[in-house]
Amino acid sequence: MMQGKKILLGITGSIAAYKAAYLVRMLKKEGADVKVIMTPAAKDFVSPLTLSTLSQHPVLTHLFDEQSWSNHVMLGRWADVMLLAPLSCNTLAKMANGQCDNLLLAVYLSATCPVVVAPAMDEDMWQHPATQENIQKIKANGNQVIPVEKGELASGLIGEGRMAEPEEIVRYLQEHFFLTQPLHGKKALVTAGPTYEPIDPVRFIGNRSSGKMGWAIANELKKRGAAVTLILGPSHLNIEPNGILVEKVNTADEMYRAALQNFATADIAIMAAAVADYTPEHPENEKIKKNYSTLQIQLTKTKDILKSLGQQKTKQQVLVGFALETNDEEKFAKQKLIEKNADLIVLNSLKDEGAGFGVDTNKITIFEKNGQVFRFDQQPKNIVAKDIIDTLIKLYYD
Ligand code: CTP
């Protein structure tokens, strides 16, 4: 997917530099043309010979030597993307302050291409206000920062500051620079999270849905170019909308009305919410007191949002539902596909460890209305979202 793309990889002095060799190999495998620049300190951590062999280009380290002068301006113009990985605390500070005492910094300052950095340092250094200030400064200058990961650090401590894994860096580059946008111009509607059905002013009937799956789907649709509206139940997710229109609702009825209102103009609707099937018939206006030894709450059925949209669906619209089952999974998923007039049903079984509510992973099978079945392994929810949207694009927008 990176065929012919030109990537300038800057490596700085950090233990994580050993991963740069693997990163170069992965980028080359994707078809990219990779040139490597190293700071003098980086050479203490990984050998230029390894990197020149893997990249099939000489590694550049100095502005000039006795024989030649490295044209830093042309390097920055040659690249489609400049990637600094790992980015040390020291080079970060120099970037933030416009310093230029080596080839890498000279290329950075004269680069006309987008610049992406993958920081790597110990947790305390990472969290120091000066480092965080420098990160904000380079972001304000238009650079993109690939988030650091949590895990074992060079110091032996466990914490934040690890460089993102090479796989994650490659994925980031693909998504942000090299992914085509097959859903450009399309409108997508997503429901996510639980609903809370009030019993009285302080109590409700809810469920364990976190909203993570729907949020990941909304993000994936956005990355593929769609204009996304997310109707989100009362989730505790800490979200940064990032161009996604988020409508917050509480009850199944509010979600129903918001979904219906948005559906007419949507090309794609994905119902990932765990909507309450029943709601108290007469929620109390005042707090219920414990005056009785038993208490009965009469429940009434909520409206099935997916089914209602299925009844209104036009031939141009693609409707996707979920099925969360504990038994007879395939039978129930296929039943929902027909009953709700959906185009696709994404099945997750609570029998599968690492699938369903609250966890960061999911294991899905997608059933298509004409009988096609797509099975996937257990994956983090953002990868699952990618699988769902890839399948949808392949079936309806390729
Ligand atoms: N759904 C909906 N509105 C409801 C209930 C469910 O839109 N009132 C949607 C969910 O968002 C999901 C699909 O219907 O996409 C299936 O939800 P699920 O809870 O698995 O099944 P139900 O239809 O509620 O049926 P049951 O609980 O009997 O399995």
Side-chain angles (χ1 to χ4, degrees):
M1 226 202 286
M2 291 191 185
Q3 204 59 44
K5 299 293 175 195
K6 300 185 193 89
I7 297 174
L8 196 55
L9 173 64
I11 305 175
T12 72
S14 155
I15 283 286
Y18 78 91
K19 290 186 186 171
Y22 186 49
L23 180 58
V24 172
R25 200 166 146 258
M26 287 189 75
L27 292 170
K28 291 288 291 179
K29 272 198 163 170
E30 291 287 327
D33 189 4
V34 185
K35 287 187 182 176
V36 176
I37 309 177
M38 297 174 84
T39 61
K43 291 195 286 182
D44 292 336
F45 295 92
V46 61
S47 137
L49 182 61
T50 306
L51 295 160
S52 62
T53 309
L54 290 171
S55 68
Q56 296 167 318
H57 284 295
V59 168
L60 306 158
T61 46
H62 290 101
L63 267 170
F64 49 84
D65 57 27
E66 291 83 10
Q67 279 91 41
S68 62
W69 173 72
S70 291
N71 191 333
H72 57 88
V73 175
M74 289 326 288
L75 277 170
R77 286 181 180 254
W78 167 83
D80 293 311
V81 179
M82 182 176 187
L83 166 68
L84 302 192
L87 174 66
S88 68
C89 195
N90 189 32
T91 300
L92 166 67
K94 289 179 182 175
M95 284 169 75
N97 291 291
Q99 287 180 28
C100 181
D101 63 1
N102 59 42
L103 176 65
L104 193 152
L105 289 161
V107 174
Y108 163 67
L109 285 171
S110 52
T112 50
C113 61
V115 179
V116 186
V117 304
M121 59 198 82
D122 229 58
E123 182 170 52
D124 296 331
M125 287 169 93
W126 172 247
Q127 286 180 347
H128 195 283
T131 305
Q132 288 306 311
E133 208 176 295
N134 288 335
I135 286 283
Q136 292 314 320
K137 271 193 197 168
I138 65 158
K139 275 189 182 173
N141 287 339
N143 302 288
Q144 297 185 33
V145 180
I146 303 177
V148 295
E149 291 181 358
K150 227 178 183 171
E152 201 176 323
L153 300 162
S155 59
L157 298 171
I158 308 280
E160 251 191 355
R162 267 171 75 100
M163 183 177 83
E165 289 300 326
E167 289 82 357
E168 183 52 35
I169 295 176
V170 171
R171 192 174 132 73
Y172 185 97
L173 292 181
Q174 276 171 341
E175 276 176 12
H176 287 74
F177 301 105
F178 307 130
L179 206 67
T180 52
Q181 296 211 313
L183 299 181
H184 181 75
K186 302 285 172 218
K187 279 192 173 176
L189 167 66
V190 181
T191 63
T195 63
Y196 285 179
E197 308 304 317
I199 296 171
D200 70 11
V202 291
R203 303 175 178 100
F204 60 83
I205 299 174
N207 62 61
R208 295 185 202 280
S209 166
S210 62
K212 278 181 190 162
M213 195 61 250
W215 174 240
I217 287 172
N219 274 289
E220 196 58 41
L221 285 162
K222 164 95 196 330
K223 276 178 204 159
R224 306 308 183 85
V228 185
T229 300
L230 173 69
I231 299 168
L232 181 63
S235 137
H236 296 295
L237 279 185
N238 199 359
I239 56 170
E240 260 186 61
N242 263 337
I244 293 172
L245 200 68
V246 181
E247 266 187 54
K248 292 198 173 170
V249 295
N250 280 305
T251 65
D253 192 52
E254 286 169 11
M255 189 173 273
Y256 169 77
R257 280 187 274 143
L260 227 64
Q261 204 174 33
N262 283 284
F263 186 58
T265 55
D267 299 286
I268 300 162
I270 303 185
M271 304 291 101
V275 190
D277 290 331
Y278 292 92
T279 188
E281 192 162 17
H282 302 293
E284 299 294 333
N285 289 330
E286 309 297 341
K287 186 182 165 209
I288 300 171
K289 305 299 280 180
K290 54 169 183 288
N291 295 336
Y292 314 101
S293 56
T294 62
L295 177 70
Q296 292 209 346
I297 299 169
Q298 181 70 25
L299 301 178
T300 175
K301 236 184 185 171
T302 56
K303 293 199 184 80
D304 190 320
I305 305 169
L306 178 61
K307 196 171 175 178
S308 306
L309 301 191
Q311 283 160 357
Q312 299 190 3
K313 185 168 75 82
T314 64
K315 282 204 172 110
Q316 285 70 42
Q317 290 176 305
V318 180
L319 182 61
V320 183
F322 272 74
L324 178 66
E325 308 293 347
T326 55
N327 59 298
D328 294 328
E329 294 89 339
E330 298 216 6
K331 186 181 112 194
F332 286 131
K334 286 178 182 162
Q335 210 167 300
K336 281 177 187 167
L337 195 57
I338 296 164
E339 276 171 10
K340 305 196 187 208
N341 192 30
D343 296 291
L344 302 174
I345 284 284
V346 181
L347 165 70
N348 33 183
S349 167
L350 276 187
K351 266 194 202 147
D352 288 322
E353 217 176 282
F357 286 173
V359 288
D360 288 328
T361 53
N362 209 351
K363 185 173 188 303
I364 58 156
T365 307
I366 301 179
F367 295 88
E368 183 267 338
K369 69 172 175 218
N370 297 319
Q372 294 189 69
V373 180
F374 306 88
R375 295 179 200 281
F376 299 90
D377 291 336
Q378 182 182 317
Q379 311 254 39
K381 283 187 173 166
N382 59 339
I383 308 286
V384 173
K386 191 174 168 298
D387 288 339
I388 295 170
I389 305 308
D390 277 345
T391 308
L392 182 145
I393 290 170
K394 203 163 47 188
L395 287 170
Y396 306 104
Y397 297 100
D398 235 4

